[in-house]
Amino acid sequence: MTIQFIHYPKCTTCKKAQKWLTDNGISFEEVHIVEQPPTKEQLARLWQASGLSLKKFFNTSGMKYRELGLKDRLAEMSEEEQLTLLASDGMLIKRPIVTDGEKVTLGFKELEFEQAWK
């Protein structure tokens, strides 16, 4: 499978990740996280493949996260409710998400990218 780069073009972290992928000769398909947000099913697959906690998929520094008061509400929500909420708005999702269908990285840390995508 082609590597998917799910991002928000104005996000500086996404720009750094995109530059890293390009500089390392890694081709990818871009997916705009707001125009084409991942579905609940896609998010469930990404979450399972990532091995991370579902909370990590939330963009905790985003305005939408704060507006909805999710810091206090997430703990009370079921995984099903969290996935539904994430799928409802691409701006709630931590980005970028990079996946080849098996591996998933969330956000951008150069060391993680070295290990996953080189």
Side-chain angles (χ1 to χ4, degrees):
M1 177 186 175
T2 310
I3 290 178
Q4 270 197 327
F5 181 69
I6 305 167
H7 71 119
Y8 183 65
K10 293 179 181 169
C11 163
T12 53
T13 304
C14 295
K15 289 177 185 175
K16 289 177 192 167
Q18 189 168 12
K19 180 179 179 346
W20 187 93
L21 291 169
T22 303
D23 288 353
N24 284 278
I26 297 161
S27 59
F28 54 89
E29 170 195 329
E30 288 185 60
V31 179
H32 191 299
I33 202 163
V34 176
E35 293 172 2
Q36 296 174 276
T39 64
K40 185 175 169 181
E41 292 73 23
Q42 287 172 309
L43 285 163
R45 282 195 302 275
L46 290 166
W47 168 46
Q48 295 300 329
S50 74
L52 298 168
S53 73
L54 189 52
K55 184 182 187 306
K56 297 267 188 207
F57 276 79
F58 281 87
N59 177 13
T60 56
S61 59
M63 282 190 301
K64 193 81 171 177
Y65 183 88
R66 290 194 295 268
E67 278 171 22
L68 295 173
L70 294 177
K71 182 179 177 203
D72 303 318
R73 292 179 45 212
L74 273 188
E76 303 157 9
M77 296 171 78
S78 70
E79 291 171 347
E80 191 72 16
E81 290 170 321
Q82 289 180 42
L83 286 167
T84 300
L85 185 61
L86 282 168
S88 74
D89 189 336
M91 293 304 275
L92 283 173
I93 304 169
K94 185 169 178 75
R95 55 193 183 257
I97 300 172
V98 183
T99 184
D100 62 3
E102 292 177 23
K103 289 183 299 211
V104 175
T105 55
L106 205 52
F108 176 65
K109 291 195 174 82
E110 194 166 341
L111 185 60
E112 280 179 19
F113 267 49
E114 289 273 344
Q115 293 166 342
W117 307 117
K118 257 202 158 167

